[in-house]
Amino acid sequence: MKGVSVKNMEVRSVSKLIGQFAMVGQLGLSLLMPLLMCLFACYLLVTKLSVGVWVYIPGFILGLGASWMTAYKVYLSVVHKEDKKKLKRDPNEVNFSKHI
């Protein structure tokens, strides 16, 4: 029976690790994609409509703002999910900072 519980704990830890990697990947994409989309829109404006190259400056600034806002929303959703998990836990559970 002990072998089953140890293996079950290993599977849980690997699952938790994969979930954390997925969150880091999602955060990275949340930072990168809005910026790339704004720069691509600026590229289309410059090439198709012959707008000046100055369009890249506000496009870059708007892309950074959008990427930070998206990353902040991802962060809030992760924090909200963790708060839900904390509410479901047993109040008598001993944690790292709760010794008694």
Side-chain angles (χ1 to χ4, degrees), residues 13-48:
S13 64
V14 169
S15 174
K16 191 174 184 180
L17 184 66
I18 290 172
Q20 290 172 349
F21 275 126
M23 280 296 148
V24 169
Q26 183 177 357
L27 184 63
L29 286 175
S30 297
L31 285 171
L32 187 63
M33 288 310 295
L35 180 62
L36 290 178
M37 289 172 59
C38 283
L39 289 177
F40 182 69
C42 291
Y43 169 77
L44 290 177
L45 285 173
V46 169
T47 57
K48 302 292 183 189

Side-chain angles (χ1 to χ4, degrees), residues 10-100:
E10 289 176 3
V11 170
R12 284 185 195 161
S13 64
V14 169
S15 174
K16 191 174 184 180
L17 184 66
I18 290 172
Q20 290 172 349
F21 275 126
M23 280 296 148
V24 169
Q26 183 177 357
L27 184 63
L29 286 175
S30 297
L31 285 171
L32 187 63
M33 288 310 295
L35 180 62
L36 290 178
M37 289 172 59
C38 283
L39 289 177
F40 182 69
C42 291
Y43 169 77
L44 290 177
L45 285 173
V46 169
T47 57
K48 302 292 183 189
L49 298 177
S50 300
V51 179
V53 180
W54 61 269
V55 170
Y56 281 106
I57 295 170
F60 183 76
I61 293 170
L62 288 173
L64 282 179
S67 66
W68 282 107
M69 184 56 115
T70 306
Y72 179 69
K73 288 184 179 185
V74 169
Y75 168 75
L76 285 180
S77 71
V78 169
V79 168
H80 182 68
K81 190 184 298 183
E82 290 295 322
D83 287 344
K84 277 185 169 180
K85 285 182 183 178
K86 284 181 183 178
L87 291 176
K88 289 181 181 177
R89 290 184 182 160
D90 183 25
N92 296 326
E93 179 181 354
V94 178
N95 295 325
F96 176 72
S97 60
K98 186 177 177 182
H99 300 288
I100 298 176

